[in-house]
Amino acid sequence: MRVLVVTAVPAERDAVTRACPAGFDVLAGGVGPAAAAATTATALARTPYDLVVSAGIGGGFLPLAPVGSLVVASRIVAADLGADTPDGYLDVEALGFGRSAHLPPRQLGRAVADATGAAYGPVLTVSTVTGSAARAAELAARHPGAAAEAMEGFGVAEAAAQRGVPALEIRAVSNAVGPRDRSAWRIGDALGALTDAFGKLPPVLESWNGHD
Ligand SMILES: O=C(O)c1cccc(C(=O)CC[C@H]2O[C@@H](n3cnc4c(=O)[nH]cnc43)[C@H](O)[C@@H]2O)c1
């Protein structure tokens, strides 16, 4: 099975590569959904992959995903792709065009979560890191069960979907979603958790039939 892993920055790429078996290509595609989509689309145009994984550190919604824990996405959601209105937020489905969520293969996602001890829930893709309790509460209310937020998953999943390739998202939680406190980010711990998670993937992927 050929697997493409797309991270944002080189430190995340290196954390994945440390654990990666043969057959995994790991790229640092840049921060944000546009860079992630462009990197993924270019790679998929060159090489036929069986699976694409968006991976890296992320913010965790408490109490589901504390710092140092892992999250596997049950849904990959573009959480700010829509319109703000006096009556509230409208996603692109409500606006009548496009899509704001991708569904990873369910059995595979669950199996990866079980093997790695990860929470399994929606992961939100945002273009602006959440920096206040009010915004965190707004996102949690709009996306019940949201486990994590990051900035690339939807871009990776959108590019993969356009090629008919399944996509997963795996996040290691470096910080809580909420009031910004960069000094509280535990990036080293999260990168270590990411390496551990990828070390556990090969048997799970080998037993996946590719069609759930
Ligand atoms: O400074 C470093 O050493 C370092 C090492 C690895 C990664 C970083 C990043 O800043 C990566 C940016 C990346 O992080 C994701 N992220 C992390 N926490 C959040 C969050 O609370 N909300 C949204 N995104 C988050 C995101 O995917 C960025 O691409 C630095």
Side-chain angles (χ1 to χ4, degrees), residues 56-62 65-67 69 71 122-124 126 129-130 146-151 171-178 185 190:
I57 64 172
F61 285 91
L62 291 171
V67 171
S69 69
V71 174
V123 176
L124 312 184
V126 294
V129 175
T130 296
E149 75 164 33
M151 302 175 79
R171 291 285 162 185
V173 176
S174 54
N175 58 282
V177 176
W185 285 37

Side-chain angles (χ1 to χ4, degrees), residues 7-13 30-33 54-60 124-131 148-153 169 171-178 180 182 185 187-188 191:
T7 71
V9 301
E12 295 167 317
R13 177 198 61 206
V31 171
S54 171
I57 64 172
L124 312 184
T125 301
V126 294
S127 291
T128 304
V129 175
T130 296
E149 75 164 33
M151 302 175 79
E152 295 79 26
E169 182 169 8
R171 291 285 162 185
V173 176
S174 54
N175 58 282
V177 176
R180 182 166 173 76
R182 194 64 163 76
W185 285 37
I187 290 174
L191 295 175

Side-chain angles (χ1 to χ4, degrees), residues 20-200:
C20 259
F24 280 52
D25 292 335
V26 192
L27 303 177
V31 171
T39 297
T40 305
T42 301
L44 291 175
R46 289 183 179 145
T47 308
Y49 289 99
D50 303 298
L51 178 70
V52 179
V53 184
S54 171
I57 64 172
F61 285 91
L62 291 171
L64 211 57
V67 171
S69 69
L70 290 161
V71 174
V72 173
S74 60
R75 292 166 63 81
I76 300 172
V77 184
D80 52 17
L81 183 63
D84 197 13
T85 81
D87 299 321
Y89 176 80
L90 296 178
D91 61 24
V92 287
E93 285 87 350
L95 293 169
F97 49 84
R99 59 188 158 190
S100 63
H102 289 284
L103 293 179
R106 191 176 171 78
Q107 282 178 20
L108 179 62
R110 280 198 174 279
V112 169
D114 287 348
T116 58
Y120 180 70
V123 176
L124 312 184
T125 301
V126 294
S127 291
T128 304
V129 175
T130 296
S132 69
R135 176 67 175 162
E138 184 186 336
L139 288 172
R142 194 183 300 150
H143 304 284
E149 75 164 33
M151 302 175 79
E152 295 79 26
F154 189 82
V156 171
E158 182 71 27
Q162 289 189 10
R163 289 254 167 195
V165 180
L168 289 183
E169 182 169 8
I170 303 174
R171 291 285 162 185
V173 176
S174 54
N175 58 282
V177 176
R180 182 166 173 76
D181 177 6
R182 194 64 163 76
S183 68
W185 285 37
R186 296 290 175 259
I187 290 174
D189 292 349
L191 295 175
L194 200 59
T195 302
D196 290 348
F198 273 83
K200 293 171 182 160

